Amino acid sequence: MTQGHLHRHLRLPDLVLAQILIVVGTNWFGAAATLGMLGVLFWPLALLLYHGPLAVVVMALVRACPEEAGPYQWVKRAYGPRMGLFFGWILCSFMLVFLAAGCLGLAGGLSYALKSVDVDLQQWPVVGTALPFVFLALLTAFGWSGFRQARWVQNLAAVALLLVLGLLGYRILQAGLLDTWPGFGMSVPTDSRTWISLLKILVFALSGLEFLALVAGECERPERTLPRAIQIAAPINIAIYMIGTFAVVLTIPLAAIDQVNPVAQVLGSLGGVVATGVLWALLLRDFGQNTLGLSGVSRLPMQVGLDGRLPAWFGRVNARGVPTHAVLICALIIAAILSVVTAGSDRQEAFQMLLSAAGIQFGLTYVLMFSLPVFASAAFGLAQSALLRVCALLGGSLATVFVLISVYPIDSDPDPLRHAWRVLLIVLVLLLPGALLAFLPQRR
C-alpha cells in the first residue's frame, strides 16, 4: 500500500482547531499563575523565545517535505533511514506513555465530573479500575473510524475549549475584577527554581506545532494548509494562555491555586449547570486531544512498515484510508502500560519514573528536530535564511537545557543525583530496542 490510499479529509479549519487542541493545556494556567503577574507576561515572551521559533522551523520543514509521518520523514531525509527509524522509535515510545497517562487522566476527569451530579465512582472500585481501558477502547474506535468522522469530535473538543475560555473572560468581567486589578507591578525572581519552572512550562506547554505533520498525507494541500494553520493558531495559543493565567491570578490566592484543574476552580463559583458544564467541556477537550494523539502516533509504525523496516502488515491501509493494524498495535501497547500501572500503588510510582523518562525523550525529539535547519538544510533545499537558523538555534538550545534539567531535577527532588541515575537507566532501557531495530544489520 502507498500514500495514495490515504484520504485527505483535513482542511484548514480542522487544522487550526487541531493545532489549538494539541498545544493548549489548561493545567498550565495554574502552573503559570503561581508566578503571579509574571506568569501572565511570560506567555508573550515565550512566543518570542520558543513557540515562534518552533513555528518558523516547522513551517519551513513542512513546506520542504509535506509527507505523512512528517517528523520521521524529516530526520530520515536529513540523517539517513537508520537515524530516521531511531527518531521514530523515540517519538512513538514517549507518545504511547503519554497516551497511557491521558487515559488515566480521562478516567479521573470523568470521576470529577460525575461528582458534580452526586455520583461517586469510589463506591465502585472495579468501575474506576476499568475506566482507563474503556476510554482506550473509545479512542481506538475513533482511530479506526479515520479523520472523516474523528475530526468532528476533535473540532467539537477545540470549540469546547474556546467556550470555556469565553467563560473565564466572563468571570473576570462579572466579578468586576478588572476594577480592583493592581496592575503588572512585580519583582523579577532571583531563585533558580522559579526560572527552571518557567523553562519547563515553556517547553511542555508550547510544543506540538509539528504534530499535525504526522498526518500530512491526510491534509488537503499540506504544504500550504499546515503552515497557514500554524500562522493562525500560534498567536491564538498565546492569547488563550494569557487569558487563562490572568483569570486564575485575579480570582485565586497564589497559595490556593489548584495546578491540576485551575479552570474548574475559577469557574466553580458560577455554580449550578455552568460549573457542571465546564467539567464536561474539559473532559471533552481531553478526549478530543487523546483521539488526535492516538491517530497521529499510529502513522509512525504505518510509515515504517511502508518503508520496509517493519513487517508490511503495519503499513496496510483499509478502504477508509485508515492504518487499522498500526492503530491496534499502538492501542495494545497502551493497554499493556495501563495494566501494569493499575496493578498497585508501587507500580504507580514506577509509572511516574516512566513519565519522567518519557519527558526526556520528548525533549530529545525537539533537540533533533531543531538541528535540521542548522546541520542539514541542504537535504531540504532550504534557503540560507538567518531567521530560520536563529530560530533553530534558539529553540534547540532551550530544548537541550530542558533535557538536562529533566535528568537532574534540582528543583523538585530531595536526592536529584539518585533520581538522575534512575531516570537515565529507564531512558536507556526505552532507547535500546529502537537502537537495535535501527542500527543492527537487516536480515535479507
Side-chain angles (χ1 to χ4, degrees), residues 82 85 89 304 309-310 432-442:
R82 293 182 182 276
L85 181 56
W89 174 272
V304 175
R309 298 307 299 268
L310 284 175
L432 182 60
L436 294 175
L437 180 65
F439 298 111
L440 283 183
Q442 280 187 295

Side-chain angles (χ1 to χ4, degrees), residues 166-186:
L167 283 174
L168 288 173
Y170 169 77
R171 175 72 179 88
I172 294 172
L173 297 175
Q174 178 235 14
L177 294 171
L178 290 177
D179 297 334
T180 58
W181 174 42
F184 281 107
M186 70 191 83

Side-chain angles (χ1 to χ4, degrees), residues 289-354:
Q289 186 187 60
N290 281 280
T291 62
L292 185 57
L294 181 58
S295 295
V297 72
S298 67
R299 274 44 175 183
L300 289 166
M302 180 204 76
Q303 190 59 50
V304 175
L306 291 173
D307 289 346
R309 298 307 299 268
L310 284 175
W313 183 86
F314 283 87
R316 291 178 185 169
V317 176
N318 68 11
R320 297 190 305 274
V322 181
T324 51
H325 294 166
V327 172
L328 176 61
I329 288 297
C330 290
L332 289 175
I333 295 172
I334 295 169
I337 297 172
L338 288 174
S339 298
V340 173
V341 174
T342 56
S345 58
D346 55 332
R347 298 189 181 187
Q348 291 175 12
E349 181 183 354
F351 183 59
Q352 291 301 317
M353 297 296 295
L354 182 61

Side-chain angles (χ1 to χ4, degrees), residues 114-125:
L114 288 173
K115 281 184 179 179
S116 67
V117 291
D118 297 324
V119 177
D120 189 358
L121 289 182
Q122 290 182 349
Q123 298 177 7
W124 302 286

Side-chain angles (χ1 to χ4, degrees), residues 16 44 74 150 193 216 297 408:
V16 172
W74 303 338
R193 292 191 175 190
V297 72
Y408 193 80

